[in-house]
Amino acid sequence: MKLKKMLAVGAVVFGFAAVYAQADTELEFWTMNLAPKFNDYFNKSVADFNKANPGLTAKWVDMNWDQIQPKLIASIAAGNPPALVNFNVPWVHDFAAQGNILPLDQYLGAAKNTYSVGAIKDVTVNGKVYAFPWYNSVSIIAYNKDILAKAGVKAAPKNFDEFVKDGQQITAKTGVPAYAPKLGNFVGWFYYAGLPVVENGKAVFNSPKHIAFVQKFADLYKAGVMPKDVFKVEFEQEIAAYNSGKIAMMTTAPQALKRTETDAKAVYAKTGVAKFPVDAGKMAFGAWLMDFVIPKGTKDPAAAAKLGVFLTNDESQVAFSKATETTFPSTKKGNLDPYFQAGAKSADAVEQGRAVAAQSMDNARTLTIPPGVLPDEAAMNKKLQDEIQDAVEGRKPVKAALDEAVAAWNEKLKK
Amino acid sequence: MKTSNSYTAIAYLFLAPALILMGLLTFWPVGYNTYLAFQDYSIADGTATWNNFANFKYIANEPLFWNALKNSALYLLIVPVIQLAALVVAKMVNNKLPGMTLFRALFYIPVITSISIAGVVWANVYKYDGVLTWLLQSLGLIHDQVNWLGEPSIALYMLMIFTFWKGIGYYMVLYLAGLQAIPSEVEEAAILDGANAFQRFWKITVPMVKPTILLCTLLSTIAAIKVYLEVIVLTKGQADTYTALYYVYDQAFRNYNFGRAAAAGVVVTFFCMLLAVIQFRFFGDKK
């Protein structure tokens, strides 16, 4: 009897709860890989939003980055997609082209002008904005003062040519490889240098300018300015090489300095920080913008947009950067916040790095070819990377390598 | 008394749980994969449309896929080497000297070591200024540093050495089981007849573990054809180490072209089965 009673009461309570919950519009938003580290931030953020917007209930769900696409696709197919989903830039272009996310211009209004120019460009597809720009990062240079002093390099490089020249000088004078920049996405380097990759449906990266640019890397490699296995260097390997004094500079996201601070105190004590120089492309290197999109079929897009604007406004973005300590806002005003700029004159490399990176954020662009341009992206990128690696490591003349990659690309682009 | 019919029925009843699982997790995916290979599959709305062999035509004209298949075929070189070595090692640890269990365990440790962790360790062995270069330099065998995983002419063989290290213990255990099934009288008789160790190995051990050889060869052939994890953890397909399954992965999870990936998978499966048939002809019992 007791059990029956309990069940009955339970059912009534549950029923009420369900009716009550129905009254509010629930806005579920998905993020990638942020729980449990940032639970406090999101709980507070959700509470603030719900308080300020009666009738709307934001609900935070975090998942692993590789679950986001399949789950989203399943939910769109089932007709109950969430209000907002955390995407990266290539996914925005991909889903916008498929028509699976909504253009936001009508909802953004004045908020559009608060985001940095680069960020809005990143999420614009065919003239329409498809995402609320959120957090971002950008590369800086962290250098070993001792090695640079020994090499007689006095100031940080102001442009890419100086970066090349300094590298050669460092290695010639000290015998230490100067740097190991990530070469895994060479298309990004072309964009950085202001060189086109695909124009009018044709691959064009074998012009004399492209050849000269790649030749610089080949010369650096030959002179030992970059370590022998530079093509295998990713985030972790670069930090490890810098921390053990095997390279003179790191060219990476500022959060790497945190690792130097904890793992290699002696190296950290003699670390200086500088902006990564901007080249003809006028783009800050190493950016990777995160953002929120509204999936097709979401129940109340206007309410979803309200939440999107809230999560990505100056205040929220600065607060989130404070929580991560390693990312940067994609709003113009956000990066001017004292939190970022106070460290400009600090002696501490992490604080300096934060100021230096925040100053670069306006030029931050996510340097990839928008999905859909390349008919077989995996195979084409593989071909380009293989040829570039052969050229840089001196197994093939640069021109021959680029010519072959361009021919292979055009073969595929023709179809 | 039970009839043979009800006997069979009961046998299937006992097999059912395993069969259902295999059906769900093995046969259905293989079947669905084969179906996808002939379709344009749209991940966004989950629709598949017949495309008149377009996927197969595409990969037939894809030099990258053929090169990947060539690398996978080249990987078969490891099969005879690892089989012979595993058999010899099994023979060596198959005696009752004290401490033998320790040696057996030592050979088996790489098998149970997670491949991602082993990969990190071996990346440091193969680094241009890593353990291998250091060792060969101190022995005076090489002068310059070698970028073991960056040179297209040697990188694939370096991966094979890793696979060898990782896999030998597994086949050793299988051979050990085979060896222990050989009655000791046979070998004793051969000793009395004056056969030396080498003759005993080739004339007695090898023929008597033939079923195990078939099994191990089959397993290692399939493992070699579908080599992929080694590539992921050590080279990411750089330096001409791109294998057929890596192509499948790239097409599926970078291009989201599941139809084309499925077609490439079917081609790999076809070669696996072809090799299996050949091996059954060679090592199988002739009836």
Side-chain angles (χ1 to χ4, degrees), chain B residues 108-127 131 149 158-159 161-167 229-235:
Chain B
Y108 201 69
I109 284 174
V111 179
I112 52 170
T113 308
S114 135
I115 194 153
S116 39
I117 292 167
V120 172
V121 176
W122 277 77
N124 282 307
V125 170
Y126 284 145
K127 213 168 146 29
V131 180
L149 294 174
M158 294 298 125
L159 293 186
I161 294 174
F162 173 69
T163 305
F164 179 85
W165 169 85
K166 185 97 180 64
L229 284 172
E230 287 90 335
V231 188
I232 280 273
V233 297
L234 285 179
T235 65

Side-chain angles (χ1 to χ4, degrees), chain B residues 93-231:
Chain B
V93 298
N94 185 31
N95 60 49
K96 296 196 173 63
L97 290 176
M100 245 339 118
T101 325
L102 173 74
F103 280 100
R104 289 179 195 175
L106 283 180
F107 278 109
Y108 201 69
I109 284 174
V111 179
I112 52 170
T113 308
S114 135
I115 194 153
S116 39
I117 292 167
V120 172
V121 176
W122 277 77
N124 282 307
V125 170
Y126 284 145
K127 213 168 146 29
Y128 69 97
D129 57 352
V131 180
L132 184 59
T133 296
W134 167 82
L135 183 73
L136 296 178
Q137 275 179 336
S138 17
L139 293 173
L141 293 173
I142 56 169
H143 183 67
D144 291 324
Q145 291 178 334
V146 180
N147 189 11
W148 299 102
L149 294 174
E151 289 293 332
S153 52
I154 52 171
L156 193 68
Y157 300 98
M158 294 298 125
L159 293 186
M160 288 184 201
I161 294 174
F162 173 69
T163 305
F164 179 85
W165 169 85
K166 185 97 180 64
I168 187 169
Y170 179 72
Y171 300 111
M172 177 200 78
V173 167
L174 293 180
Y175 279 125
L176 208 50
L179 286 175
Q180 288 179 347
I182 301 177
S184 57
E185 294 85 10
V186 185
E187 196 142 339
E188 280 159 17
I191 293 172
L192 285 179
D193 288 343
N196 62 29
F198 189 72
Q199 287 169 325
R200 293 199 305 273
F201 182 76
W202 284 111
K203 302 269 162 143
I204 295 170
T205 311
V206 172
M208 293 201 78
V209 292
K210 219 169 132 192
T212 320
I213 292 179
L214 173 65
L215 172 72
C216 288
T217 311
L218 209 59
L219 287 177
S220 66
T221 304
I222 293 169
I225 287 278
K226 58 177 218 182
V227 63
Y228 160 70
L229 284 172
E230 287 90 335
V231 188

Side-chain angles (χ1 to χ4, degrees), chain A residues 272-297:
Chain A
V273 175
K275 247 187 196 179
F276 193 89
V278 170
D279 201 52
K282 299 266 176 279
M283 294 170 188
F285 200 73
W288 189 254
L289 179 72
M290 285 291 172
D291 50 65
F292 282 111
V293 296
I294 303 183
K296 181 183 82 177

Side-chain angles (χ1 to χ4, degrees), chain A residues 87 119 157 182 197 352 381:
Chain A
F87 263 27
K182 288 181 255 326
V197 176
Q352 261 184 58
N381 263 335

Side-chain angles (χ1 to χ4, degrees), chain A residues 177 221 224-233 389 393, chain B residues 127-129 144-148 150-151:
Chain A
Y221 186 87
V225 179
M226 299 190 289
K228 270 201 164 77
D229 59 350
V230 63
F231 275 89
K232 288 172 65 64
V233 170
Q389 188 172 357
E393 293 185 354
Chain B
K127 213 168 146 29
Y128 69 97
D129 57 352
D144 291 324
Q145 291 178 334
V146 180
N147 189 11
W148 299 102
E151 289 293 332

Side-chain angles (χ1 to χ4, degrees), chain A residues 182-198 203 205 210 213-214 217 231 283 285 366-370 373-374 377 380-385 388 402 405 409:
Chain A
K182 288 181 255 326
L183 302 179
N185 166 27
F186 210 85
V187 165
W189 279 103
F190 284 143
Y191 282 151
Y192 165 80
L195 299 170
V197 176
V198 176
F205 49 82
H210 289 86
F213 183 65
V214 177
F217 285 87
F231 275 89
M283 294 170 188
F285 200 73
T366 305
L367 306 174
T368 57
I369 298 182
V373 173
L374 306 184
E377 198 184 335
M380 292 165 86
N381 263 335
K382 167 87 184 132
K383 181 70 183 168
L384 174 64
Q385 284 298 131
I388 294 269
L402 290 182
W409 276 43

Side-chain angles (χ1 to χ4, degrees), chain A residues 69 73 91 94 98 100 221 227-229 231-232 234 246 376-379 382 389-390 393 395 412, chain B residues 43-44 58 62 64 127-129 145 147 150-152 234-238 242 250-251 255-256 260:
Chain A
Q69 284 208 28
I73 287 156
W91 293 2
D94 209 4
Q98 295 164 7
N100 280 328
Y221 186 87
K228 270 201 164 77
D229 59 350
F231 275 89
K232 288 172 65 64
E234 286 171 26
K246 282 186 181 171
D376 185 348
E377 198 184 335
K382 167 87 184 132
Q389 188 172 357
D390 276 348
E393 293 185 354
R395 283 185 293 272
K412 286 218 158 69
Chain B
I43 183 171
Y58 187 90
E62 172 59 275
L64 185 64
K127 213 168 146 29
Y128 69 97
D129 57 352
Q145 291 178 334
N147 189 11
E151 289 293 332
L234 285 179
T235 65
K236 302 220 162 48
Q238 286 177 5
Y242 200 73
D250 257 2
Q251 290 301 325
N255 277 356
Y256 299 107
R260 195 184 292 154

